[in-house]
Amino acid sequence: MAGTSNKAAVTELSPVTSLRGVGTALAEKLATLDIRTIQDVLFHLPFRYEDRTQTIPLGSLQAGMRAVVEGEIQLSEVAFRGRRQLLVRISDDSGWLTLRFFHFGAAQQTQLARGTRLRCFGEVRSGPQTLEMVHPEYRRITGTSDSPDNDTLTPIYPASEGLQQARLRQLSTAALETLRQHSIHDWLPVDLLPDARWPTLQAALLYVHRPPPDARLELMAAGRHPAQRRLAFEELLAQQLSLRQLRQDIKRDASYALQQGHELLQQFRSSLPFQLTAAQQRVWQEIERDLAQPQPMLRLVQGDVGSGKTVVAALAALKAVACGMQAALMAPTELLAEQHARNFQRWLAPLNIEVVLLTGKHTGKTRTAILESLALGTARIAIGTHALFQSEVVFSKLAVVIIDEQHRFGVHQRLLLREKGLDAGHYPHQLIMTATPIPRTLAMSAYADLDVSVIDELPPGRTPVQTVVVPDSRRDEIVQRVREACLQQRQVYWVCPLIEESELLSAQAAEETYTTLRAALPELRIELLHGRMNGKQKDAVMEQFKSHQADVLVATTVIEVGVDVPNASVMVIENAERMGLAQLHQLRGRVGRGSAQSSCVLLYQYPLSEVARTRLRIMRETNDGFEIARYDLEIRGPGELLGTRQTGLVQLRVADLMRDADLLPQVQKAADTLLRDHPEKVEPLLKRWIGQSEQFGKV
Ligand code: ADP
Ligand code: MG
């Protein structure tokens, strides 16, 4: 492959093995990073840079620095200090440094002989005798010739086991060489770029892989350099196109047009103890219009905690039933699924509609009976956890799929449930609900495959929750407040945190609090709820709390989503400093559902990190889910906030949805133009940025 005659044939789509020094063994390792072609190497972008253009005198080193040093080897010896290791002492005019290697071969040992000059890079630590570097990157230097890594800032690439930085840098050097010789196909028409001063694609790639020493490291670190912006724009565009393509694919399918049932829906609405808010009505109209179409609905309903999404979901489910079909609602926790099932049963039993609950807890005969009723179609609405899309579950005519608290699921799970509904070439309509409100431009990017409706109004009569932040040392005062509240016929949630992802430890912590609270408040009825209890026990406790046969519910974060007991008006959250904003907001949303003044007590323990302090302040200052989400975005970034759904988004290479938010409107426009005028450029762009493995496609 390497002969000169083949040179002209090398393009960015040639396999990595056409690069100098890449054999099949390395190619296999690269494949684990999804790097298969020269283009993949070029778009495997550095995620940070180090300034190694300055050599630091050994005498000025301090522990904690990452630095380039040069020196001559004075001593090289294998030592046994608990473990076999190679110790190399280097010096220059100003001082000493020890290099320590735990893994080393014989060849390396002879290379590192006394008298050899080395240039090293690594993190400086204090050692037993001198400062030292453990496993530094190093190179022997001969004569005075300046080394190439002195000319540019050093890029740091996402690495993997067995693929070190030095290797990745060699590789990109080779790929950049072909880029210089052959350039690269630029799929973006120039007039689509929002800024005419941006460099060309070729120049941008050369720059981000090898920024010159005068590049401003802060600008690069902040991702604000025009070369980075040029690439970020293209990446966001590719993301946008990929989601729109998913949408187009789904929209090409057929669905049953649900157009009947006006009377049944009317009957249901008038049986409710309240009127829909204007926002609920508007959103329902949008949904109803979608459901009447012969293509699948793809609609996301955003609404703050307590805005009343459940009843809107019930309307959509009922619409399916009214048209002789089935609906399924999937919730992320058993507790929430159980609550939804109870609500739906209460609402729909008078209309003679059978609602079944299916979770992992249902086994044996019960399970068989549920599955049978779904397959036969006697059960009209199924409510459950991910148990719903397991292979034994067969629906009779599933026309509407509802996903509650969407950020807890992945896009794949949603698509799996959709597959369940395939019936004679018809796919179900999808309604997706989330309480994580995000700014509009961001929503348009993150949810480009969905239509978005917003319930931007709370039901009337709610009073905002008052939040106080209290150190755990004042716990006794809070216990007394709980007592007073309960003596005034109010109910209290006391939430204990999740410990290290362990349900068992969390349950134990909750049990402990439960025991101490019982001892401190013998006159109150205190109940306990945690994830290790079985469905029946949980049900019984929830029912007791709902019907006010319990005053205090001590619980783990299992009650985080969805739980609805309007008479509960005090929420105490222990170790609030460990929780994220979204979680705190969700938990707090469990109170403030009735007309009584509600309060939320955030108990914290020292030490408080800067981030935790900020979070608690934000919680105290605002009840507005949108505002909280905005802060959350700043603190955590969109990847985490949006949850597992957008694996593609989480793995953006240069772009950052927050930082580059100003580009999003132009990204939208560019996507429109490209799809309309240059549809043939979409596929190659997706291939370049998203790769085969991450494209969502149908399951
Ligand atoms: P979320 O949007 O957080 O899922 P829910 O659907 O659980 O909120 O609704 C919260 C509470 O508000 C429930 O008790 C529900 O019955 C009640 N609710 C919903 N819509 C209205 C309304 N229009 N008027 C009064 N109460 C309502
Ligand atoms: Mg809800």
Side-chain angles (χ1 to χ4, degrees), residues 223-234:
R224 303 296 303 182
H225 190 279
Q228 290 167 307
R229 299 270 286 169
R230 165 69 180 77
L231 295 171
F233 179 79
E234 188 169 320

Side-chain angles (χ1 to χ4, degrees), residues 273-278 280 303-312 336 339-340 343 346-347 404-405 433-435 455 458-460 462 562-566 586 589-590 593:
F274 50 76
Q275 291 219 317
L276 296 188
T277 62
Q280 284 170 318
D304 204 349
V305 183
S307 61
K309 295 183 290 293
T310 316
V311 71
V312 173
L336 184 51
Q339 179 184 283
H340 280 327
N343 277 333
R346 180 163 47 85
W347 283 333
D404 193 18
E405 306 292 346
M433 305 197 292
T434 180
I455 304 184
L458 293 179
R462 303 266 171 94
V563 171
D564 183 41
V565 180
Q586 282 275 357
R590 300 308 117 219
R593 291 172 170 249

Side-chain angles (χ1 to χ4, degrees), residues 349-603:
L351 304 173
N352 271 329
I353 295 170
E354 193 189 337
V355 177
V356 294
L357 173 67
L358 181 65
T359 71
K361 292 270 160 75
H362 294 104
T363 52
K365 279 208 183 94
T366 333
R367 184 181 169 80
T368 314
I370 295 171
L371 292 181
E372 226 171 71
S373 68
L374 285 173
L376 289 172
T378 49
R380 313 306 297 279
I381 298 179
I383 294 181
T385 53
H386 12 280
L388 281 179
F389 55 73
Q390 281 155 8
S391 57
E392 311 92 81
V393 184
V394 177
F395 290 91
S396 143
K397 269 191 170 180
L398 182 60
V400 172
V401 163
I402 304 163
I403 316 273
D404 193 18
E405 306 292 346
Q406 150 282 337
H407 61 287
R408 299 292 196 92
F409 293 103
V411 71
H412 280 293
Q413 289 167 315
R414 193 184 107 205
L415 295 176
L416 276 171
L417 192 51
R418 172 187 127 86
E419 258 355 79
K420 283 275 167 218
L422 181 57
D423 174 64
H426 292 73
Y427 280 95
H429 298 282
Q430 298 181 45
L431 179 63
I432 296 139
M433 305 197 292
T434 180
T436 306
I438 56 174
R440 191 178 145 72
T441 40
L442 185 54
M444 284 171 75
S445 291
Y447 302 127
D449 54 333
L450 305 171
D451 299 300
V452 179
S453 296
V454 184
I455 304 184
D456 50 7
E457 179 185 1
L458 293 179
R462 303 266 171 94
T463 38
V465 181
Q466 275 176 2
T467 301
V468 291
V469 177
V470 177
D472 199 63
S473 52
R474 287 173 46 202
R475 198 186 176 90
D476 291 348
E477 276 170 54
I478 302 306
V479 172
Q480 286 319 310
R481 270 174 74 164
V482 165
R483 183 165 169 270
E484 283 155 29
C486 292
L487 293 179
Q488 289 166 25
Q489 298 310 308
R490 292 158 67 182
Q491 286 171 281
V492 176
Y493 292 103
W494 188 295
V495 178
C496 310
L498 206 67
I499 297 167
E500 307 279 335
E501 307 285 328
S502 157
E503 234 183 28
L504 177 62
L505 288 179
S506 308
Q508 285 171 352
E511 265 163 30
E512 237 178 84
T513 303
Y514 169 70
T515 314
T516 51
L517 280 181
R518 280 205 134 177
L521 301 168
E523 67 276 46
L524 299 186
R525 296 162 303 174
I526 304 179
E527 293 297 332
L528 174 67
L529 186 74
H530 60 66
R532 307 259 306 173
M533 293 161 52
N534 69 33
K536 270 218 180 71
Q537 292 172 317
K538 277 195 267 186
D539 245 9
V541 170
M542 251 352 267
E543 209 39 64
Q544 263 178 306
F545 193 59
K546 266 200 123 123
S547 57
H548 202 168
Q549 288 160 36
D551 303 299
V552 179
L553 183 64
V554 177
T556 55
T557 50
V558 287
I559 61 153
E560 177 182 347
V561 284
V563 171
D564 183 41
V565 180
N567 189 51
S569 62
V570 178
M571 164 70 63
V572 181
I573 303 177
E574 279 192 59
N575 287 110
E577 80 281 358
R578 291 196 209 157
M579 297 187 198
L581 274 177
Q583 189 171 31
L584 289 171
H585 180 61
Q586 282 275 357
L587 282 170
R588 182 172 60 182
R590 300 308 117 219
V591 294
R593 291 172 170 249
S595 47
Q597 172 62 57
S598 292
S599 55
C600 174
V601 180
L602 301 176
L603 282 176

Side-chain angles (χ1 to χ4, degrees), residues 91-315:
S91 73
D92 65 6
D93 297 342
S94 66
W96 299 85
L97 180 71
T98 303
L99 314 179
R100 195 183 289 273
F101 299 88
F102 294 105
H103 310 281
F104 57 97
Q108 197 175 8
Q109 202 178 330
T110 35
Q111 255 191 0
L112 295 173
R114 192 187 150 101
T116 309
R117 284 187 61 74
L118 289 184
R119 170 174 294 142
C120 314
F121 176 82
E123 186 175 330
V124 182
R125 312 184 186 178
S126 46
Q129 280 148 31
T130 62
L131 290 174
E132 51 180 63
M133 285 182 180
V134 178
H135 279 275
E137 287 180 42
Y138 71 90
R139 197 157 39 79
R140 293 198 295 176
I141 42 178
T142 44
T144 52
S145 72
D146 232 346
S147 57
D149 66 352
N150 248 18
D151 305 337
T152 66
L153 294 177
T154 303
I156 308 296
Y157 293 97
S160 75
E161 191 76 36
L163 265 176
Q164 304 304 321
Q165 287 302 324
R167 205 49 183 280
L168 289 165
R169 278 201 291 278
Q170 276 170 9
L171 193 71
S172 61
T173 301
L176 290 170
E177 197 45 47
T178 61
L179 176 67
R180 277 195 197 90
Q181 286 169 17
H182 305 281
S183 188
I184 186 167
H185 200 110
D186 188 348
W187 298 104
L188 296 192
V190 250
D191 53 339
L192 279 194
L193 295 174
D195 192 332
R197 293 162 304 176
W198 281 354
T200 62
L201 178 61
Q202 183 190 26
L205 283 170
L206 288 168
Y207 198 97
V208 300
H209 280 285
R210 296 292 182 270
D214 63 352
R216 284 171 45 206
L217 206 52
E218 325 87 69
L219 193 69
M220 297 293 287
R224 303 296 303 182
H225 190 279
Q228 290 167 307
R229 299 270 286 169
R230 165 69 180 77
L231 295 171
F233 179 79
E234 188 169 320
E235 181 172 36
L236 291 172
L237 179 59
Q239 284 291 333
Q240 178 76 198
L241 290 166
S242 141
L243 286 173
R244 291 212 200 170
Q245 202 172 53
L246 173 65
R247 175 190 172 82
Q248 272 180 5
D249 286 352
I250 292 180
K251 282 283 184 187
R252 257 196 292 277
D253 294 328
S255 280
Y256 293 110
L258 307 177
Q259 295 172 338
Q260 280 129 56
H262 202 70
E263 271 162 44
L264 191 62
L265 268 88
Q266 227 27 65
Q267 206 180 332
F268 169 64
R269 283 174 65 165
S270 52
S271 75
L272 289 172
F274 50 76
Q275 291 219 317
L276 296 188
T277 62
Q280 284 170 318
Q281 287 190 44
R282 173 171 43 75
V283 169
W284 166 241
Q285 275 166 17
E286 289 164 357
I287 294 168
E288 197 172 27
R289 211 176 309 131
D290 287 351
L291 292 175
Q293 304 302 314
Q295 296 89 38
M297 168 172 79
L298 280 169
R299 188 166 288 279
L300 175 76
V301 172
Q302 284 188 50
D304 204 349
V305 183
S307 61
K309 295 183 290 293
T310 316
V311 71
V312 173
L315 283 166

